[in-house]
Amino acid sequence: MVKEILKGLALTFQQMWKKPITLQYPEERKLMPARARGRHQLQRYEVGMERCIGCGLCSAVCPSNCITVVPAENAEEDRHSPGERYSQIYRINEFRCIFCGYCQEACPVDAIILTEEYEFSAYSRDEFVYDKERLLVSLSRQPQGADRSPEPIS
Amino acid sequence: MKTETMTLNMGPQHPSTHGVLRLVMELDGENIVNCTPHIGYLHTGIEKSMENRTYHQVIPLTDRMDYLSPITNNLAYVLAVEKLLGLEDVPERAQYIRVILAELSRIASHLVALGTHVMELGAVTVFMYGFREREQILDLFETATGVRMMTSFIRIGGVAADLPAEFVEKLQDFLKIFPSRVDEYETLLTNNPIWLRRTRGVGLLPKEVALAYGLSGPNARASGIDWDLRKKEPYCGYEKFDFQVPLGEEGDVYARYRVRMAEMRQSHRILTQALENLPPGPYRSSDRKVVFPPKDELHTGMEALIHHFKLATEGFSPPTGEVYQGIEGPRGEIGFYLVSDGGAKPWRVRVRPPSFLNVQAIPAILNGCLIADAIAAIGSLDFVLGEVDR
């Protein structure tokens, strides 16, 4: 009887010489996989044009109805996207979002992607409703995940 | 002398009720005379919500029922829809990927069942060891699907994406170490006199009672019922794999523990075979009526673009009819009963949750046993309240 208990104790004792697997977050961080489904981001073409053409497929396929897209016609002098239309309003309520990735799958021009960013915090609830300005990748920055996108349509 | 029974309320916030289960127990001294489970604290109306989603949009909802093995929920639902559609052209690679993920989630779920159960009886070490391996499995899920738990990865007609290259390497690493890790758990428990005394002959569930309550999965098999849907009604090509269905006899807590341990080893066997024979090829069906066309076709083909838009906005409409499809989940038979009125949304979805039937058996197990054994008996039934209440 004592033998079996000692066997168990020996096993736990051996663990003392093993490296702990604990990660000291936030000092140490795990590398997120390429498919990580975090905060959304709207992509641009290399020339700086927005990818989104305002078709609204993301909002139609969304199981939690958290995406609002209001399209508008592109004017010749003020062109946002290569197609006929662009999204005038693009809003995602990140509180409602369940991060299923359906929007990314449904987007025909690879405009919306889910990034590796998973740390959400803010001082007010309103800040979790992301408008287009915050979703769109900035012009100066190399678009994240650009390597996942196929050739742009002309 | 006149004696009275005492009514004791356990839960819904009790840590050992695995969620928010409330048990009202009538006690005669230390013996449980009568026990009534009260459920519904986690009711979120998932079945009703499904009626307002297209068949495609229902998949993320199924994740949230049995949150310890979302993949098997996805799989059961998707197989039911495929049966309704009569879709048979699911590529072999997709089937293998489904099997790999389902078996991984079975191991992950059993590790939680084992860890929490043992912890409730005072052994925190096994819990920590179990969660160490579970973390590895969740890492694998994250590599393949992008998230750890709410995977939504199985799709109608296949899976959402192919397995990434690093997944196979990580899985091989996991398969290499896992059998020795199961040995570790067994070293700590199987012959441990304290564990034996707490579990042997406790929470007896005779074969007839288990059958009468409609139990399935490890709970039924520990009572000696040879019933495993992977063998009896094979799906996803399980008939191609060589594995055994572990059976118990006594139907006590210890037998259920032994069956789960043996099942983890069998799952390891299936995983090894699946990884060895993983065939190349497409990972989803080419039926454009129900499966999104590949992205690169959208830029060249008008037809593909039309299918894509139609699927994303309206979904697809299966024929009118009713189907039932059950699979062997980690907790037992999880099945979906779908009623279609020919529209793009299911008219009614009914889930056959294994956890609900496990909870039903609580009174049968607890009546007459000691209050101290109640924790051991409840933990060994392994239910998830998210699935019970839906």
Side-chain angles (χ1 to χ4, degrees):
Chain A
M1 178 177 161
V2 184
K3 199 180 129 214
E4 289 300 329
I5 292 183
L6 283 180
K7 252 197 210 165
L9 285 175
L11 178 74
T12 47
F13 195 69
Q14 281 167 20
Q15 304 293 317
M16 283 216 257
W17 285 279
K18 287 194 179 149
K19 222 178 116 215
I21 55 159
T22 320
L23 210 62
Q24 295 299 328
Y25 179 85
E27 284 80 24
E28 293 170 10
R29 271 153 207 270
K30 212 173 81 176
L31 204 66
M32 295 300 280
R35 286 183 186 173
R37 305 202 304 240
R39 188 173 77 81
H40 307 76
Q41 195 174 54
L42 282 171
Q43 302 297 297
R44 289 179 193 272
Y45 287 110
E46 284 71 14
V47 287
M49 203 94 85
E50 291 166 21
R51 273 178 175 262
C52 180
I53 49 168
C55 68
L57 279 194
C58 46
S59 124
V61 85
C62 179
S64 52
N65 291 332
C66 70
I67 309 179
T68 313
V69 186
V70 178
E73 297 284 326
N74 263 320
E76 218 30 75
E77 61 277 10
D78 178 32
R79 185 163 269 285
H80 291 82
S81 73
E84 275 172 36
R85 301 199 294 176
Y86 73 104
S87 56
Q88 193 177 33
I89 297 175
Y90 197 103
R91 203 188 301 131
I92 296 182
N93 186 342
E94 299 281 5
F95 271 143
R96 285 193 66 99
C97 178
I98 57 170
F99 300 96
C100 60
Y102 276 17
C103 46
Q104 178 176 348
E105 204 177 314
C107 184
V109 288
D110 292 298
I112 187 153
I113 64 156
L114 293 167
T115 61
E116 290 156 19
E117 195 187 322
Y118 56 90
E119 288 156 316
F120 283 87
S121 58
Y123 286 100
S124 78
R125 296 180 69 87
D126 297 347
E127 283 175 59
F128 286 98
V129 181
Y130 280 66
D131 54 12
K132 198 175 163 190
E133 221 167 67
R134 288 166 76 201
L135 286 170
L136 203 59
V137 66
S138 70
L139 269 173
S140 54
R141 214 150 38 116
Q142 179 63 30
Q144 203 182 349
D147 53 321
R148 308 189 212 180
S149 316
E151 288 297 297
I153 47 167
S154 47
Chain B
M1 199 171 76
K2 194 174 164 264
T3 55
E4 271 179 16
T5 55
M6 186 180 85
T7 308
L8 182 78
N9 182 55
M10 184 171 145
Q13 279 87 24
H14 197 281
S16 70
T17 52
H18 291 252
V20 279
L21 173 70
R22 180 177 159 225
L23 294 171
V24 177
M25 294 192 275
E26 210 182 317
L27 302 177
D28 176 19
E30 279 203 61
N31 291 312
I32 301 169
V33 182
N34 203 0
C35 167
T36 322
H38 289 251
I39 59 167
Y41 291 95
L42 268 184
H43 179 67
T44 43
I46 288 181
E47 281 183 12
K48 191 71 190 167
S49 303
M50 286 172 175
E51 293 167 17
N52 297 311
R53 304 277 188 286
T54 63
Y55 284 93
H56 183 52
Q57 285 175 336
V58 168
I59 299 171
L61 284 175
T62 61
D63 284 330
R64 286 153 175 83
M65 297 190 318
D66 179 356
Y67 41 78
L68 292 180
S69 75
I71 295 270
T72 45
N73 298 348
N74 288 172
L75 185 57
Y77 168 74
V78 164
L79 286 175
V81 177
E82 282 170 5
K83 203 171 178 182
L84 185 65
L85 285 164
L87 186 74
E88 265 155 28
D89 146 52
V90 180
E92 217 187 339
R93 187 175 174 86
Q95 306 275 27
Y96 269 74
I97 296 175
R98 286 173 174 187
V99 168
I100 289 176
L101 294 174
E103 289 309 316
L104 277 174
S105 66
R106 187 185 318 279
I107 294 179
S109 173
H110 280 356
L111 285 174
V112 178
L114 172 77
T116 52
H117 180 209
V118 176
M119 185 172 67
E120 282 153 16
L121 296 180
V124 188
T125 315
V126 183
F127 171 77
M128 287 296 177
Y129 289 5
F131 268 56
R132 176 184 62 192
E133 272 71 74
R134 177 175 182 255
E135 196 59 31
Q136 255 185 309
I137 297 177
L138 293 186
D139 246 11
L140 281 164
F141 283 162
E142 198 176 33
T143 315
T145 72
V147 285
R148 288 153 50 88
M149 283 178 80
M150 300 304 159
T151 48
S152 315
F153 191 67
I154 316 277
R155 293 294 149 82
I156 298 152
V159 288
D162 209 348
L163 293 177
E166 69 260 55
F167 177 88
V168 179
E169 287 164 32
K170 279 187 179 177
L171 182 57
Q172 274 162 346
D173 292 346
F174 173 74
L175 291 179
K176 241 175 256 163
I177 58 145
F178 188 65
S180 65
R181 296 290 163 89
V182 183
D183 292 342
E184 281 187 13
Y185 316 143
E186 296 233 40
T187 310
L188 289 172
L189 292 173
T190 305
N191 293 319
N192 186 320
I194 307 169
W195 176 249
L196 286 173
R197 284 199 189 169
R198 289 297 316 257
T199 54
R200 268 224 174 128
V202 170
L204 279 174
L205 188 67
K207 195 173 178 178
E208 305 76 48
V209 181
L211 272 176
Y213 276 97
L215 289 193
S216 53
N219 294 335
R221 288 193 284 271
S223 300
I225 302 167
D226 185 10
W227 182 254
D228 188 318
L229 284 178
R230 291 174 294 177
K231 288 275 189 207
K232 303 286 176 195
E233 293 167 17
Y235 53 91
C236 287
Y238 264 110
E239 66 275 6
K240 277 175 266 176
F241 296 97
D242 174 32
F243 66 101
Q244 280 153 6
V245 179
L247 287 179
E249 265 174 38
E250 304 84 4
D252 57 358
V253 175
Y254 189 68
R256 291 194 274 277
Y257 154 77
R258 287 303 291 268
V259 166
R260 288 211 177 84
M261 296 303 261
E263 267 187 26
M264 283 199 271
R265 293 188 195 272
Q266 294 302 325
S267 288
H268 177 268
R269 264 177 83 186
I270 300 175
L271 280 168
T272 318
Q273 292 167 40
L275 199 60
E276 249 170 45
N277 307 325
L278 186 66
Y283 57 86
R284 55 183 174 183
S285 156
S286 55
D287 189 337
R288 294 280 177 270
K289 294 273 184 261
V290 292
V291 181
F292 279 111
K295 276 262 169 100
D296 39 334
E297 268 183 38
L298 296 185
H299 307 308
T300 50
M302 193 39 139
E303 207 187 0
L305 204 60
I306 292 170
H307 279 141
H308 186 88
F309 268 68
K310 225 171 132 48
L311 272 175
T313 51
E314 303 169 11
F316 54 84
S317 303
T320 314
E322 303 177 10
V323 290
Y324 173 79
Q325 171 74 41
I327 68 164
E328 188 67 33
R331 266 158 268 284
E333 176 182 350
I334 169 151
F336 281 79
Y337 187 83
L338 296 179
V339 183
S340 158
D341 61 352
K345 294 168 182 173
W347 187 79
R348 173 81 170 98
V349 183
R350 157 82 187 146
V351 186
R352 185 232 187 254
S355 297
F356 180 74
L357 289 112
N358 293 352
V359 167
Q360 263 193 338
I362 291 179
I365 288 185
L366 289 192
N367 288 355
C369 89
L370 288 170
I371 179 98
D373 289 337
I375 307 294
I378 292 170
S380 73
L381 281 177
D382 183 27
F383 45 81
V384 166
L385 265 293
E387 190 180 56
V388 174
D389 297 337
R390 301 187 298 290

